[in-house]
């Protein structure tokens, strides 16, 4: 079992819909959970990070962590065509190694 | 935030040759990271480059294949040696944000195709 599992998609949703992106992980030592967004031919950029179970909101984006289930989610409300990108989950443990998911390709259809 | 540039942005190379990728940061940083992003695969750390010391390689990556230089606090190079088609990938450098522990800034990447 890989440490971080993420469905690669692609995921296509109509503009304005709520998007749900998810990752599961197996290492209970992970303490920090991050979501990166990567546009085509660009490097990843950090969207959000959190270190506790529960929800963290930033504008249209909500990051959710359930440590008991080893499951994290990113929700995008009122999705826009500009949200079309690859979203990578990432996790960090105490030894500072960051493990990335494979990324989910998201297409928002106008 | 840090601004990172990479050269070349893309290249097509022949099997058995080597390519050196350059990474330039607009500020001085202690650590620089080199990643590989293969199609359909996770972003994978190759090595950490520290100025003034040997690079630290992750499991599965060796210095003979991926030699790294770090001559100063704003610049690093990664060489992909004796290339094979399996080395076709995007190579990215990144630096950590000194204030936000979990943030890394990434360069735009170098898209390498080996024929």
């Amino acid at each position: 079992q890989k440490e971080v599992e993420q469905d690669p998609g692609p995921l296509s949703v109509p503009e304005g819909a709520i998007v749900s992106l998810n990752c599961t992980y197996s290492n209970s030592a992970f303490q920090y959970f991050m979501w990166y967004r990567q546009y085509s031919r660009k490097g990843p950029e950090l969207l959000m990070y959190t270190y506790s179970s529960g929800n963290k909101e930033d504008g249209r984006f909500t990051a959710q962590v359930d440590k008991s289930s080893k499951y994290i989610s990113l929700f995008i409300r009122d999705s826009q065509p500009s949200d079309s990108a690859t979203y990578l989950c990432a996790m960090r443990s105490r030894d500072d190694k960051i493990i990335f998911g494979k990324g989910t390709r998201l297409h928002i259809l106008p | 935030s840090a601004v990172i540039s990479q050269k070349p942005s893309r290249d097509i190379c022949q099997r058995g040759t080597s390519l050196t990728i350059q990474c330039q940061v607009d500020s001085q940083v202690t650590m620089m990271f080199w990643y590989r992003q293969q199609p359909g695969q996770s972003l994978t750390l190759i090595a950490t480059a520290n100025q003034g010391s040997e690079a630290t390689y992750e499991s599965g990556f060796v210095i003979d294949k991926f030699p790294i230089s770090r001559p100063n606090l704003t610049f690093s190079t990664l060489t992909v040696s004796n290339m094979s088609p399996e080395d076709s990938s995007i190579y990215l450098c990144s630096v950590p944000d000194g204030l936000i522990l979990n943030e890394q800034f990434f360069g735009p990447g170098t898209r390498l195709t080996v024929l």
Side-chain angles (χ1 to χ4, degrees):
Chain A
Q1 181 185 10
K2 291 188 181 295
E3 284 193 282
V4 179
E5 299 275 7
Q6 183 176 13
D7 188 334
L11 177 64
S12 296
V13 299
E15 183 176 356
I18 296 175
V19 175
S20 173
L21 304 167
N22 311 293
C23 287
T24 59
Y25 63 96
S26 58
N27 187 348
S28 58
F30 288 138
Q31 295 188 323
Y32 298 92
F33 306 89
M34 296 150 276
W35 286 96
Y36 281 80
R37 178 176 62 196
Q38 185 175 19
Y39 290 114
S40 179
R41 306 193 185 285
K42 301 287 187 182
E45 55 177 343
L46 182 68
L47 267 181
M48 298 181 71
Y49 74 92
T50 184
Y51 56 85
S52 59
S53 285
N55 295 350
K56 181 178 181 180
E57 192 172 314
D58 184 0
R60 296 186 295 110
F61 298 90
T62 299
Q64 187 176 80
V65 175
D66 183 345
K67 288 187 176 180
S68 63
S69 300
K70 297 188 178 67
Y71 189 89
I72 70 171
S73 300
L74 177 70
F75 299 98
I76 307 174
R77 290 184 300 280
D78 187 25
S79 55
Q80 306 294 311
S82 59
D83 295 327
S84 298
T86 296
Y87 291 80
L88 300 94
C89 63
M91 305 175 189
R92 185 172 73 81
S93 56
R94 282 182 183 271
D95 65 359
D96 287 338
K97 293 292 174 63
I98 298 180
I99 307 297
F100 288 85
K102 291 183 179 182
T104 299
R105 285 184 295 143
L106 173 65
H107 299 291
I108 306 299
L109 307 172
Chain B
S1 65
V3 177
I4 303 173
S5 60
Q6 286 185 233
K7 289 182 180 179
S9 59
R10 63 192 308 151
D11 207 341
I12 300 173
C13 300
Q14 295 297 321
R15 181 195 299 261
T17 62
S18 298
L19 176 72
T20 296
I21 302 168
Q22 299 179 7
C23 178
Q24 179 76 51
V25 188
D26 69 343
S27 58
Q28 294 185 338
V29 293
T30 304
M31 298 168 66
M32 295 177 74
F33 305 107
W34 284 99
Y35 284 86
R36 182 173 72 182
Q37 190 174 31
Q38 293 180 306
Q41 300 300 314
S42 308
L43 198 60
T44 303
L45 181 64
I46 297 171
T48 301
N50 298 306
Q51 199 272 334
S53 64
E54 292 285 332
T56 303
Y57 289 82
E58 298 300 306
S59 175
F61 299 97
V62 295
I63 187 171
D64 290 345
K65 177 66 176 178
F66 298 101
I68 288 171
S69 77
R70 185 77 201 277
N72 57 53
L73 291 173
T74 64
F75 186 80
S76 177
T77 67
L78 170 77
T79 298
V80 186
S81 303
N82 188 24
M83 289 184 285
S84 67
E86 292 71 33
D87 294 319
S88 296
S89 181
I90 299 173
Y91 293 86
L92 300 109
C93 66
S94 79
V95 301
D97 185 309
L99 298 178
I100 303 175
L101 185 62
N102 295 301
E103 177 151 22
Q104 290 187 30
F105 300 105
F106 285 85
T110 295
R111 185 178 296 268
L112 171 63
T113 302
V114 183
L115 302 178

